[in-house]
Amino acid sequence: MTTVFVVANQKGGIGKTTTATNLAGILSKKGKTLLIDADPQGNSTSTYEAKIQDVATLYDVIIDSERLPIDEAIQHTPNGDIVASDPLLAKAEKLLDGDVDGFYRLKDALEELEGYKYIVIDTAPSLNVILYNCLIAADKVIIPVTADSYALQGIQQLYDTIMSVRRRQNPGLSIAGLLLVKYSGRSKLDQSTRELIAREASDMGTKLFKTTIRECVKTKEAQEKKKLLIDYAPKCNTCLDYIDFTKELLK
């Protein structure tokens, strides 16, 4: 049985890619894991040092008219297995416009895939046809947030989208929870914002994860060296937090 996690937030710079790559890296120690980069910016693809030229990408799987089987787009890298993003994904809205089945292409592709215990999907900071594809194919959504005054900006719209998908296309979809990232907890503002986010999560019928993710310099070092934290600095605060988060997620 494969569990599909989507990491989503329509706000940019929120730590989606850091969360997706670290989660995938940690899960890969527990079972065969696939990372899917559904963001045209391709930050997860870059971290995994996956190719986008002269190879099959997510575009070929869900957009291209020939619709390649997804296993033909999987790249086996030192950091793990990944289906790479492609800048051409930015054209998805136009290319799939009016296609009734356009929302289900990733779900169809994943139903043909075997052998993976976990799939983690990194998404773009937008509510578009690619995100709908991801949500329809997913089991659980993880929403990273930061403890600032704009943390909840746009969360309601994402929540409404998730609930719409659950009502109409994917009744098994749930929000695993909101995850506080880049969090120090030192100031009263941090703590009061955390309480506000916890209330918002409760109103959404989900939770704020007890685990929070601290920042440390090793995260940027790992990104520059194209390494996963679990391999590069497994004892750093950020990695230890992501390990605890993964345990909480899988409970």
Side-chain angles (χ1 to χ4, degrees):
M1 183 73 177
T2 304
T3 304
V4 181
F5 298 104
V6 165
V7 181
N9 189 321
Q10 68 187 84
K11 183 181 174 186
I14 209 75
K16 285 189 299 296
T17 294
T18 301
T19 297
T21 54
N22 280 291
L23 176 60
I26 294 164
L27 288 174
S28 68
K29 310 298 183 184
K30 301 176 180 294
K32 194 174 182 184
T33 301
L34 175 66
L35 178 63
I36 297 176
D37 190 354
D39 184 349
Q41 294 181 55
N43 291 329
S44 287
T45 298
S46 176
T47 296
Y48 271 57
E49 292 192 287
K51 300 176 182 177
I52 61 171
Q53 299 292 336
D54 303 318
V55 295
T57 66
L58 187 61
Y59 176 88
D60 300 287
V61 174
I62 65 174
I63 308 295
D64 190 76
S65 58
E66 294 187 10
R67 304 275 301 280
L68 282 180
I70 194 167
D71 58 358
E72 293 186 25
I74 295 172
Q75 297 182 49
H76 308 287
T77 78
N79 285 327
D81 290 359
I82 184 171
V83 175
S85 178
D86 192 314
L88 291 173
L89 286 173
K91 299 181 178 180
E93 209 72 35
K94 181 178 180 180
L95 294 173
L96 293 180
D97 184 39
D99 185 342
V100 176
D101 295 324
F103 288 130
Y104 297 87
R105 291 192 172 189
L106 184 56
K107 176 181 174 63
D108 292 345
L110 292 183
E111 286 178 348
E112 299 171 358
L113 186 64
E114 296 180 352
Y116 286 95
K117 187 172 183 179
Y118 304 110
I119 296 173
V120 179
I121 306 176
D122 187 14
T123 62
S126 58
L127 301 177
N128 57 20
V129 67
I130 297 295
L131 179 63
Y132 274 94
N133 263 269
C134 296
L135 294 175
I136 290 169
D139 298 302
K140 298 178 184 295
V141 185
I142 300 159
I143 305 175
V145 294
T146 50
D148 58 57
S149 56
Y150 303 109
L152 299 175
Q153 202 172 60
I155 290 289
Q156 185 62 46
Q157 195 175 0
L158 175 61
Y159 171 75
D160 291 343
T161 300
I162 293 169
M163 290 301 102
S164 175
V165 168
R166 189 164 79 174
R167 282 194 304 272
R168 294 182 171 88
Q169 293 114 338
N170 183 3
L173 181 65
S174 66
I175 302 174
L178 276 63
L179 175 66
L180 261 176
V181 298
K182 304 178 182 179
Y183 185 73
S184 69
R186 295 190 189 98
S187 70
K188 288 184 178 180
L189 178 61
D190 281 349
Q191 294 165 22
S192 62
T193 304
R194 180 176 182 171
E195 292 170 4
L196 175 64
I197 294 170
R199 288 196 297 271
E200 183 73 14
S202 179
D203 290 344
M204 292 165 62
T206 186
K207 65 182 179 182
L208 175 65
F209 286 104
K210 292 179 181 177
T211 307
T212 59
I213 311 298
R214 292 168 288 179
E215 283 191 287
C216 71
V217 68
K218 293 294 183 183
T219 304
K220 290 184 178 179
E221 288 179 10
Q223 290 170 348
E224 289 174 2
K225 294 180 182 294
K226 310 298 184 186
K227 300 285 186 182
L228 299 182
L229 269 179
I230 191 66
D231 298 319
Y232 179 74
K235 300 296 184 182
C236 77
N237 287 340
T238 306
C239 189
L240 292 174
D241 291 344
Y242 273 116
I243 290 170
D244 287 343
F245 159 65
T246 304
K247 290 176 182 176
E248 186 179 353
L249 176 67
L250 296 181
K251 278 184 181 178

